[in-house]
Amino acid sequence: MRQATYRHAKKSTPTMGKFKKLLDSSIKSKDTEEWLDMHFTRPVGLVMALAGKRLGIHPTAITAVSIVLGVAAAWMFAHTDTWHNLAGIALLMTANFCDSADGQLARLADKKTLVGRVLDGFAGDIWFFCIYFALCCRMTWLTIPGTNAYWGIWIWVLAFIAGVLCHSPQASLSDYYRQIHLLFLKGKAGSELDTYANQRATFDNLPKSSPLIAKMFYYFYSNYCKSQERRTPAFQRMMAAIKDKYGDVSAMPDELRREFLDGSRPLMKYTNILTFNTRAICIYVTCLAGCPWVYILFEIIVMTILYIYMHKRHESLCEHITRKIA
């Protein structure tokens, strides 16, 4: 009996070791990953990715499934009863697992593409657009707490402010800052930082016979990159100074590169707060508590304050490094 147990343990150890190795390789860096993702979302996503690889499923198919699940979750949140909201939580969590799995599968199957990466990010935008819409449908004919007035058109106005004016730029810049951090930490090979100039050049060089969908993709993606660059003037000046003096980030003095990373690392927790998990948990709690309007106000007030603080700190850091270079 003991021998059988020993043989089983000896046989299972390499398997667990291989899984841990794959999991570690799927994590871009501990600086840019949340605890919840590292210990929960990523492991579950990797299991799904390994199953997808064995079944020959394409990463884009998993992304498509995540979109369907996210939209279904939004429909559940439109209801006021507990069971629908619990179903919405389960669906949105599964959508997030799929969102993790598609990227991991793309790396495992060597099917990483720019289109796949952008579609992966776009999936989350679709989830939240539908969730905001569902919450508005849910609250339109409910009364504003402490009054006899209905939310009516005002909840749609607040949702527009929260989703379009707050959520979208916050998530966009948070991802940009993480890719910047990875560029200084791991170099070009470890970062997915894109520039407007490069993507616009790709768009301009597309053959006239290219499909319309390809032209639309590069046109909108290049403008997405442009919006990130427009909001980070100090970072753009810093990168110009690095290019003029050293040619590339990899050629910078190690001491200067480490100084940037030491300043950027504390800001990574804000980039994580401003992406998925914090928002999702707030949605879960407020929907179950019957006060989803709290989430919308949380988005407008709390998340905006964090966004302004993160942006100001990062720009100040870039200005400091630029002065040192000069």
Side-chain angles (χ1 to χ4, degrees):
M1 183 73 174
R2 288 180 180 175
Q3 289 180 343
T5 303
Y6 173 74
R7 284 197 300 270
H8 175 73
K10 192 174 182 180
K11 184 177 179 181
S12 63
T13 300
T15 303
M16 291 301 295
K18 184 179 179 181
F19 182 84
K20 189 176 185 307
K21 187 176 180 181
L22 286 171
L23 181 60
D24 290 342
S25 66
S26 72
I27 295 172
K28 295 175 181 178
S29 82
K30 291 183 179 179
D31 290 352
T32 57
E33 294 282 354
E34 286 187 86
W35 184 93
L36 188 62
D37 286 335
M38 289 180 63
H39 295 89
F40 185 53
T41 307
R42 297 295 185 198
V44 175
L46 180 56
V47 171
M48 295 172 66
L50 291 169
K53 183 182 179 184
R54 179 168 293 186
L55 295 171
I57 299 173
H58 196 279
T60 304
I62 296 181
T63 304
V65 170
S66 80
I67 292 173
V68 173
L69 291 171
V71 172
W75 186 79
M76 295 295 177
F77 290 132
H79 296 76
T80 57
D81 63 282
T82 301
W83 288 110
H84 273 95
N85 284 271
L86 288 173
I89 292 170
L91 286 167
L92 191 57
M93 288 178 65
T94 308
N96 192 39
F97 293 145
C98 290
D99 184 58
S100 177
D102 57 11
Q104 291 169 307
L105 177 59
R107 286 186 284 272
L108 288 171
D110 195 24
K111 293 181 178 178
K112 290 177 64 178
T113 63
L114 174 62
V115 174
R117 179 167 66 83
V118 174
L119 182 61
D120 184 26
F122 184 59
D125 294 336
I126 296 174
W127 303 347
F128 278 99
F129 174 83
C130 293
I131 288 171
Y132 284 117
F133 183 85
L135 295 183
C136 288
C137 291
R138 170 176 175 161
M139 289 186 286
T140 297
W141 299 109
L142 296 180
T143 55
I144 300 173
T147 73
N148 293 322
Y150 294 113
W151 279 105
I153 189 65
W154 293 109
I155 196 62
W156 294 87
V157 172
L158 288 173
F160 177 84
I161 294 170
V164 177
L165 303 183
C166 298
H167 182 153
S168 182
Q170 290 166 8
S172 167
L173 202 62
S174 294
D175 181 63
Y176 193 56
Y177 284 162
R178 283 191 294 197
Q179 297 309 324
I180 290 169
H181 188 85
L182 289 169
L183 175 66
F184 280 78
L185 183 68
K186 294 188 170 184
K188 289 182 179 179
S191 173
E192 296 172 340
L193 187 68
D194 290 321
T195 66
Y196 168 74
N198 288 341
Q199 297 307 318
R200 182 68 194 193
T202 301
F203 171 76
D204 291 337
N205 292 326
L206 286 173
K208 291 184 178 180
S209 58
S210 297
L212 178 62
I213 189 69
K215 294 178 181 178
M216 289 176 62
F217 171 81
Y218 282 106
Y219 175 79
F220 286 111
Y221 183 60
S222 63
N223 283 305
Y224 172 80
C225 294
K226 187 176 183 179
S227 73
Q228 292 174 319
E229 294 172 4
R230 188 173 58 246
R231 286 177 284 154
T232 54
F235 171 70
Q236 305 309 321
R237 289 192 294 270
M238 184 187 76
M239 290 302 289
I242 291 171
K243 185 177 180 181
D244 288 343
K245 190 163 185 177
Y246 307 113
D248 190 72
V249 169
S250 60
M252 288 177 68
D254 287 342
E255 182 181 352
L256 196 58
R257 186 167 54 83
R258 282 197 299 269
E259 185 173 354
F260 177 84
L261 288 170
D262 289 342
S264 173
R265 191 171 290 113
L267 302 181
M268 292 301 101
K269 62 177 175 288
Y270 298 109
T271 68
N272 289 328
I273 291 171
L274 291 167
T275 48
F276 177 78
N277 287 330
T278 301
R279 284 189 169 97
I281 291 170
C282 190
I283 289 170
Y284 301 159
V285 172
T286 55
C287 283
L288 287 173
C291 54
W293 55 270
V294 172
Y295 164 70
I296 293 177
L297 293 181
F298 173 80
E299 179 74 72
I300 295 172
I301 300 170
V302 178
M303 300 294 256
T304 298
I305 292 171
L306 292 177
Y307 169 76
I308 292 170
Y309 176 76
M310 175 189 73
H311 179 251
K312 185 177 179 180
R313 281 278 304 273
H314 199 277
E315 287 288 279
S316 297
L317 172 64
C318 293
E319 288 173 355
H320 171 71
I321 297 297
T322 303
R323 286 194 297 269
K324 283 207 143 188
I325 294 170

